[in-house]
């Protein structure tokens, strides 16, 4: 028996700091981690009795609130029937149902689903499938195009197609070469399109990967569907496979079920994770068209896609995803998406001209407020911790991306709870000094 069973907040923090290495966190911690013992709806309950509003859906995964009963019960039921089974040579009803229900919701002709465990692996699968597609066709193409400022995850392939510098600096030598085109800023879209065209003229491009309409980690940077449609059209004309990374934007975040619903063109591959299980279980999927899959329908063993993870299509995760889908497609959730989107737009109008605001933008349930600072906009803006603490002191969890504050709440947030967050944001704006 472990000798320390006290479990007070201070005790948990002490033991945590001794043995646990947290993601995206310095080992010289400026701020202690908060022990959470319960979640309910939009609220997180800490060991020492605080109730904190989860304004970022716990890293963008939670859709229907914490400890949602419908999903919890589906997982519990599944756990008593089949917890896991190897997914090579075997299958199970949950995975089949999920594929049957999810694929028709995606735009384009998505016909096959490949399972993995998280957003980064969903991206790795898409990149590897795209490269092997060309290999299998015996017309090898190696180049991938991505947008500047992109974030697609933390594995090596995903890092390679993401913005260089910062997080990736220690690994730079090992990242494969990628052609980056400028982010399609408003009224500068032609720069992106021209750069894209030039690459297509010069090189044999295998794939184009993008976060549709919203670059999350880059600071909730938003761009227009029209320019993305143009890029996809150009890519398709050159035979290039288009990969929509909907890991963040999927499952209602942008107001539509998927960000690609705003497009006329359709991707060939779609990466999904985060909200797929409503935030209960780790799961990633990569959907592809039959045209992509057909390159792998060959008897030659060298043409097989040799990729897999131990927990591929875990039945508990599939049960959670099916239950989350029930809720997502039901009327109350649709009404909530409308309500949140509408409230964000009203608040955006209210604070748009505030002296502390450089820009405010919104799409669906995502609201981002870029604050004016002397340092300028950057993920590494030194005032980020001050902002984080300001809201935490008011029992609201927001994780600013540098000087960009954003709100991405679980869909069950009430109008009153939203107003509470807006009031705190206004308080911050009124007290904000640029220096
Ligand atoms: C667009 C996008 N792709 C991929 C990922 C990586 O997902 P994961 O953290 O589950 O590996 C993220 C994570 O934030 C993301 O925003």
């Amino acid at each position: 028996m472990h000798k320390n069973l006290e479990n007070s907040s201070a005790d948990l923090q002490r033991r945590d700091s001794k043995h646990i290495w947290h993601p995206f966190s310095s080992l010289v911690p400026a701020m202690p981690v908060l022990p959470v013992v319960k979640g309910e709806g939009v609220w997180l309950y800490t060991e020492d009795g605080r109730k904190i509003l989860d304004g970022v859906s716990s890293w963008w995964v939670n859709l229907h609130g914490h400890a949602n009963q419908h999903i919890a019960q589906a997982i519990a039921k599944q756990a008593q029937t089949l917890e896991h089974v190897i997914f090579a040579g075997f299958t199970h009803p949950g995975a089949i149902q999920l594929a049957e229900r999810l694929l028709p919701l995606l735009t384009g002709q998505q016909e096959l689903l490949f399972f993995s465990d998280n957003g980064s692996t969903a991206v790795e699968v898409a990149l590897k499938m795209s490269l092997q597609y060309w290999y299998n066709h015996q017309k090898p193409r190696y180049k991938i195009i991505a947008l500047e400022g992109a974030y697609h995850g933390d594995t090596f392939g995903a890092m390679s197609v993401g913005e260089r510098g910062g997080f990736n600096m220690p690994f730079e030598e090992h990242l494969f070469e990628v052609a980056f085109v400028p982010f399609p800023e408003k009224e500068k879209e032609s720069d992106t399109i021209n750069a894209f065209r030039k690459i297509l003229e010069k090189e044999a491009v295998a794939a184009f990967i993008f976060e549709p309409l919203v670059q999350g980690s880059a600071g909730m940077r938003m761009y227009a569907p029209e320019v993305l449609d143009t890029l996809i059209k150009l890519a398709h004309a050159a035979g290039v496979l288009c990969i929509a990374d909907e890991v963040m934007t999927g499952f209602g975040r942008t107001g539509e079920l998927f960000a690609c619903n705003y497009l006329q063109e359709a991707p060939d591959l779609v990466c999904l994770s985060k909200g797929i299980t409503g935030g209960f279980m780790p799961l990633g999927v990569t959907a592809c068209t039959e045209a992509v899959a057909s390159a792998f329908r060959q008897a030659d063993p060298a043409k097989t896609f040799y990729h897999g993870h131990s927990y591929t299509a875990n039945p508990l995760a599939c049960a959670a995803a099916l239950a989350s889908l029930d809720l997502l497609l039901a009327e109350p959730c649709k009404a909530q998406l409308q309500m949140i989107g509408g409230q964000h737009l009203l608040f955006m109008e209210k604070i748009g001209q505030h002296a502390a605001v450089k820009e405010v933008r919104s799409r669906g349930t995502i609201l981002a407020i870029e604050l004016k600072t002397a340092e300028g906009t950057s993920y590494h803006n030194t005032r980020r911790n001050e902002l984080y603490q300001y809201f935490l002191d008011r029992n609201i969890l927001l994780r600013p991306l540098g000087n960009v504050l954003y709100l991405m709440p679980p869909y069950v947030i009430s109008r009153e709870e939203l107003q509470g967050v807006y009031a705190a944001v206004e308080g911050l704006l009124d007290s904000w000094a640029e220096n």
Side-chain angles (χ1 to χ4, degrees), residues 151-181:
Y151 177 77
H152 295 288
D154 294 334
T155 48
F156 272 85
M159 281 196 292
S160 295
V161 291
E163 176 76 8
R164 301 299 169 92
F167 308 154
N168 298 333
M169 209 97 83
F171 318 107
E172 187 90 32
E173 286 297 314
H174 296 282
L175 303 184
F176 59 73
E177 207 191 309
V178 167
F180 288 97
V181 292

Side-chain angles (χ1 to χ4, degrees), residues 136-156:
N136 284 4
H137 276 307
Q138 293 177 313
K139 294 178 202 152
R141 294 189 181 194
Y142 304 110
K143 190 49 71 69
I144 292 173
I145 306 182
L147 297 180
E148 283 175 7
Y151 177 77
H152 295 288
D154 294 334
T155 48
F156 272 85

